[in-house]
Amino acid sequence: MRLRRHSALNRAYKDSGLFQAVAIEGHECEQAAGAELQASVENRREVLVTLAAEVARNYTELRSYQQRLAIAKRNLASQQRSAHLSRQRFEGGFVNGLDLANADALVATTEAQMPLLESSAKQTIFVLSVLLDREPLAGPTGSADGPR
């Protein structure tokens, strides 16, 4: 008796077209869910590509700051030697005060650039740390051998 009632309900349900409408809706829901999943996968890929590009850009920027700082340090040493020689030549009467002032100004200009380069390198290390979800590394930023 129970089986007959169930069969009769099934037949009435199918005959009314309701079954077909529900089946179509179910198929459309599956398609929509599949499209949503694909969109999520593509969004994730886009985020990963963007993240990789930002890491590469910031790493290149960091290496640039490190190289510029290393060059500035070498230049400063050379400029200090040159200023020392200019001072000796000035004291010996071989050059005027303008030459000495120019040598000292060049040393001061190079010295003034170094803190900015160090600060920029530290800031870039911090940005990289955030991008890579790591603790910022402490230590020197001027190494031409890379971040520590």
Side-chain angles (χ1 to χ4, degrees):
M1 175 82 174
R2 195 169 165 190
L3 183 59
R4 285 186 197 157
R5 195 172 2 148
H6 183 64
S7 295
L9 286 174
N10 257 346
R11 197 171 25 255
Y13 178 69
K14 287 180 183 177
D15 289 344
S16 69
L18 200 52
F19 177 77
Q20 190 175 15
V22 169
I24 289 172
E25 274 188 33
H27 182 66
E28 289 172 353
C29 285
E30 285 177 19
Q31 286 179 332
E36 255 184 60
L37 177 62
Q38 186 62 32
S40 294
V41 167
E42 292 303 319
N43 285 340
R44 182 178 183 275
R45 285 181 183 152
E46 182 181 340
V47 167
L48 290 175
V49 167
T50 302
L51 177 63
E54 282 299 306
V55 168
R57 185 183 66 78
N58 279 279
Y59 180 75
T60 303
E61 197 172 280
L62 173 61
R63 296 296 287 152
S64 172
Y65 288 131
Q66 290 171 334
Q67 288 293 327
R68 290 169 55 192
L69 188 57
I71 290 167
K73 286 178 180 180
R74 288 192 305 267
N75 284 347
L76 180 60
S78 174
Q79 291 165 357
Q80 287 171 333
R81 286 190 303 272
S82 182
H84 178 71
L85 289 174
S86 292
R87 190 168 288 101
Q88 287 178 335
R89 293 179 76 200
F90 174 74
E91 290 168 358
F94 296 107
V95 297
N96 60 27
L98 182 60
D99 289 337
L100 179 59
N102 283 339
D104 287 340
L106 194 55
V107 167
T109 299
T110 302
E111 285 175 334
Q113 291 173 349
M114 292 173 69
L116 178 61
L117 292 171
E118 289 172 346
S119 173
S120 296
K122 286 179 184 177
Q123 182 178 0
T124 304
I125 288 172
F126 180 78
V127 170
L128 281 168
S129 299
V130 170
L131 289 171
L132 297 172
D133 194 27
R134 298 211 172 133
E135 290 292 320
L137 301 173
T141 59
S143 169
D145 298 327
R148 297 178 189 207

